Amino acid sequence: MKYFSLEKGLILTLIFSMMSVLSVAQTMGNIKGKIIEQSTKQPMIGVTVQLDNTQKGAITDSDGTFLIENVPVGSYALTISFIGFQTKKVTDVIVSGNKTYYSEFELLDEVGELGEVTVQAFKGENNPVTPVSSFSYSREEIFRNAGSQGDIMRALAVLPGVVSAGAQFSAIAARGQGTQDNVYMVDDMPMFNLSHLEAEGIASGFNDPNGGRFSIFAPRVVDNVQFQNGGFDATFGRKSSSYLGLGIKEGNKESSSFSAQAELLGVTLIYDGPLSNKTSLFTSARYQNFAGVANLTGISNMGTITLSDFLVKTTTEINGKNKLSFIAMYNPESPSRSIDDIDPGTNVNDDNSAGLTLWDHRGSNALIGLNLRTLTSTSSFWKNVLYFRVSTVDNTFGYYTPSLAPDGEILDPEFGYHEDELRTIQNNQQEFGYRSIYTKNYENLTLTAGLDAIAINLDYERNLARVDTLYTFRSTDVRPDPSQYYQILDPARYNASFENTAFNGSAYVSLSWNVTNRLTLNPGLRYDYTGFAEQHTISPRLSGSLTLGDRQSINFATGIYYQDVAYSNIAAQSFGDVIKNERTIQNILGYKMQFSGDLKFVAEAWHKQFDDLIVQPNRIEGYLTNDGTGHAYGADFSLIKRLSKKYYGQVSYSYMQSVRDDNDGLGEYDFTFNIPHVFSVLGSYKPNDKWVLSAKFRYSTGRPIDDYIVHENVFNDLSMLRYSQELTSRNGRLLDDFVSFDIRADYNIRMKRSDLTVFLDITDIQNTFNVNFEQFIPLSGQVSRSGLGMFPTFGVKIEL
């Protein structure tokens, strides 16, 4: 027994000795990267790269690459500088033992006469091509955005002029328009929905204006974000409100890493590393189930909500002139609510009771694409993008009529009537697209010209199983008898079937002209052909910037923007009904003060005129027209401190008015996202390498919602007692103001072979119930409010 103990002791001593040696070997890492010029994509020679607060640094070689060796394990910031270019600050460069941090960075030309200010180049900002409404987020800033749970769409909701339905919704609406009006690009490929759980058909058969609930991107998948709140150039079109460009992280060419995150919401796995000496791989997989959050916050009867996100991206340096990226995404979701999810004792009038609706949803989005960038000369490059996008929706909606106590409490869900398949919607889309964009840089002029070609196939079917009774209706809806306080929906007026293919084509040219050292003009022209609308459109645009001394500039933009009809609306029309594209005329005038390289103040006033807006004459039918008009105007103010040291933050206020007129004789009304006052404050502080603390406060005026009156016993039969809701004024009243205070804390433990992070992220820590919409209950005549209070998540992340 003594021999065994001695042997075990010797073995343990040997193991600990080997670990000690390995620990010493693992305390150092390297930083490597490549610097290229933003306007030409050419590698830059002689660029200085300094590791802040150390004596270490490097100079780029003839390939634009640099290497800083033997850096102690930890978190660092890089300062990248070159004469004639904006200084770039890169924060939270994480060095792990025996690994090499690798990334590519772009440098922008100096901005006009801002010579006395060392302007730090954050992606997309301080770029003469995007002089107005331009904001960006780095990967680290997205991660630090309190209350967002790493969701990029929730992080964007604090930008000036941007709003969302809030609470459980994440889709954004910009400057008086809707959640479906934004240009979304992922690695230069167009996407039309970046959120899960957009409830098509949950109300009366049409898309929910609130948008989706959760982003399709797992935390730390998006490497950089570029957002323009209007005024974007002719390169982008087919949507009219804002531009959001997302860059997916490229794999590390030098070292591999694996991370796993387990939290209340689910599990995320990420691999990042080289595949070969020319190809890198970045891949992620996420599964989310909201049962844990529902149980913790006391939300009952919401059903089952699960979703997944899978992503693969490879990047290959074919040679010195050609770089090829491949991306594949698959995002399935399967929420459902059946009679088995309804608990006895639930009061149908309570908040978040989910009403009397049952549903079963099966949906997914998928994208496969190639992006080839070719350096055609020392002053030009050519980008070719090929992609295939698929979207499927298979929704079934039912209804149940439980036995209720006088106060609205469900006695027994099984004791009553329920119907699982009253309405069904199938919406399948396939899109094959090609984009070719050429950029040429001259001495005082940059030319961008391109072509887009898209083939779209739509397969849509909407069915009502039987004649249905609707207990919510507008005062203006046609009824056979004015004393009939309900509507009868016949399948002949609801059902629709559509299968067709169409072609969309676009051509565009855009210039960025440095007229003088102080004045830059960006004229552009875009042509679009829309196959389903059989419509040709021309969109002239102009933006510019005038510097006023060393720190200030005046910026402006104006132009025409056309928006394609949503595919689901096209498919829901009767044969021969053609809907035109909506038109928006935008005007923006702004002022910017650059206090320092990472601190700026921006004020912008804007106006929009809407024509040919799509309206729905009868809210229960799919028939649509282009009879709508409207206008919106407002002003945004923001003070933004970018992440360059240990902290970053933002204070913003927005004022907006958005009014529509369906030209149906009822006059103007406030648009759904007419939110006059929006205020937000966010901040993040990193006192040391262990802690990151973040907080965010948001306030906004309540959204408009229809006013109504309630009719009792509409069948004049107490044995079949039903109430109905007559909508008397379109958006005639307001929901309660939105208020949320969010916090996040991350504690990081750096080990020799791995990093361990424990985190807590809480949305609405004060637990204010923020209402998103209301549901009328025909059995009780009451309204159940749907919304969300506190929404927490916590977990642990380990990186190897």
Side-chain angles (χ1 to χ4, degrees), residues 347-349 403-411 721 723 779-782:
N347 195 306
V348 295
N349 302 319
S403 178
L404 298 180
D407 64 350
E409 186 176 287
I410 298 176
L411 299 178
L721 182 62
Y723 300 81
L779 294 180
S780 66
Q782 303 296 312

Side-chain angles (χ1 to χ4, degrees), residues 162-174:
V162 176
V163 297
S164 73
Q168 72 261 49
F169 292 94
S170 68
I172 59 172

Side-chain angles (χ1 to χ4, degrees), residues 499-546:
E499 185 175 4
N500 204 352
T501 301
F503 170 80
N504 289 347
S506 304
Y508 40 87
V509 60
S510 177
L511 302 176
S512 182
W513 177 26
N514 297 323
V515 182
T516 68
N517 286 336
R518 292 181 177 272
L519 177 63
T520 300
L521 294 177
N522 306 302
L525 187 66
R526 182 180 179 92
Y527 160 79
D528 289 295
Y529 172 72
T530 306
F532 284 119
E534 300 177 355
Q535 185 177 6
H536 303 266
T537 58
I538 301 292
S539 306
R541 299 172 191 176
L542 175 66
S543 66
S545 178
L546 175 66

